[in-house]
Amino acid sequence: MRCGINPMRINHVFVSHLHGDHCYGLFPLISTLGLQGRQTPLYVYGPKPLREIIDMHLRYFDTQLGYPIVCTEIDHTQHQMVYENKVLEVWTIPLRHRVPCAGYLFREKTPGLNLRESALKRYNLSFAQMTAAKRGEDITLDDGQVVPNDELTYTPYSPRSYAYLSDTAYSAKAANLVHGVDVLYHEATFSDADRKRAQQTGHSTTLQAARAAVTAQAKRLVIGHFSNRYDDNIESLRAEAATVFEATTAATEGMRIDIPIIKNRQ
Ligand SMILES: [Zn+2]
Ligand SMILES: [Zn+2]
C-alpha cells in the first residue's frame, strides 16, 4: 500500500522459502485482503510446508476469511513452470540455501508473428497464405517459388524477463537457467571480505552476485538483501559488484524498475 499498489489487484504471491524475512508479510496481507472484502481467490506458491503454515493461520486467526487461498507447494529442486496466463510464464529456479528455496523467473511469452509490409506488397499473398505465414510456415507461390517464413514475418518485440533469485549461495546452474534475462535480482548479503560468513549462512557476496549476472548474460543486475552491518555503506557493495558486472543497481525498498519493450524492425 505504501508503494501505491492496490492490494486487491494482487492475485499471485510467489514465496521463495520459509524464512521469516521472506514470508511473515504474507499473513497480514491475507488478513488485510479479507477486511477489504475480497472474494476472489489468492494464489500462493512456495516450498513445503507452506500449506500447513497457511492452514494453521486460517484455523486460528482468519477463521472467517471471505475468499479462498489456493496454495501450490512447489518442488524447489526442479525448474518448472508453476503459473502461466496469456502473456506470462513463471518458472521456478532451484537455489542453494539452508532450507528448501527457489527463485522465480517471470518471462513474457513470445508474441505472435507480424507480417512484413514489404513482403505483402511483393508477393501479393492471399488471406490463407497470410494466415499460414503468421503460423510460421513457408509459403509456396503459384509459380512454385518457396518464400521462407523469415522473409514474410518478424517477431514484433523481444519478450521481456525478470528473475528473482532470493537467498542463495552462488549457483552457476541457477544463473544458466535465467540466461539472457533483462533484469536479474540477486541477493548480495555480504561484501567480498565477508565471503566466509556468506558461505556459512548460504548467502552470496557482491562478487558472486555479479558473477551470476555475467554467467547469465543478464542485461542488468539488481542486488539486495544486504546484511545490516553495511547499513551506512550500501554504495560500497554496489561499487564492489560493479567491478565485475557494470550494470549493477542496489535495491531500495519500494524501488520500481521499468523494462522497456524493444520493438523489432519490420
Ligand atoms: Zn533465508
Ligand atoms: Zn532472507
Side-chain angles (χ1 to χ4, degrees), residues 80-242:
Q80 284 170 334
M81 188 169 69
V82 289
Y83 172 71
E84 72 173 322
N85 63 23
K86 269 190 213 157
V87 293
L88 180 77
E89 293 176 355
V90 183
W91 291 75
T92 50
I93 307 291
L95 296 177
R96 296 172 51 208
H97 195 39
R98 307 196 302 279
V99 296
C101 185
Y104 295 95
L105 173 65
F106 301 82
R107 195 168 66 192
E108 263 181 326
K109 289 184 175 172
T110 306
L113 295 168
N114 275 11
L115 294 167
R116 294 183 197 274
E117 270 173 41
S118 55
L120 283 181
K121 278 184 198 147
R122 192 178 319 145
Y123 298 115
N124 192 25
L125 299 180
S126 69
F127 184 74
Q129 285 171 321
M130 285 192 253
T131 311
K134 284 186 105 172
R135 282 197 302 263
E137 294 171 21
D138 299 337
I139 298 299
T140 307
L141 302 176
D142 294 343
D143 64 1
Q145 184 196 348
V146 177
V147 186
N149 189 269
D150 261 18
E151 214 179 298
L152 301 169
T153 66
Y154 68 102
T155 310
Y157 60 91
S158 309
R160 295 169 294 172
S161 56
Y162 164 63
Y164 170 75
L165 303 190
S166 76
D167 299 13
T168 187
Y170 175 79
S171 165
K173 192 181 158 201
N176 282 314
L177 287 174
V178 301
H179 190 268
V181 72
D182 288 302
V183 176
L184 170 62
Y185 169 88
H186 196 294
E187 71 125 295
T189 308
F190 295 101
S191 72
D192 181 54
D194 292 325
R195 57 186 173 275
K196 275 227 174 79
R197 188 87 190 109
Q199 200 180 6
Q200 287 161 357
T201 54
H203 285 296
S204 293
T205 66
T206 50
L207 297 188
Q208 288 165 341
R211 261 175 234 135
V214 171
T215 303
Q217 294 191 282
K219 297 200 182 69
R220 186 171 170 187
L221 171 66
V222 178
I223 54 172
H225 199 271
F226 311 119
S227 159
N228 58 14
R229 69 183 68 186
Y230 311 108
D231 273 359
D232 302 321
N233 220 354
I234 300 300
E235 170 50 26
S236 73
L237 295 177
R238 191 208 61 79
E240 194 167 69

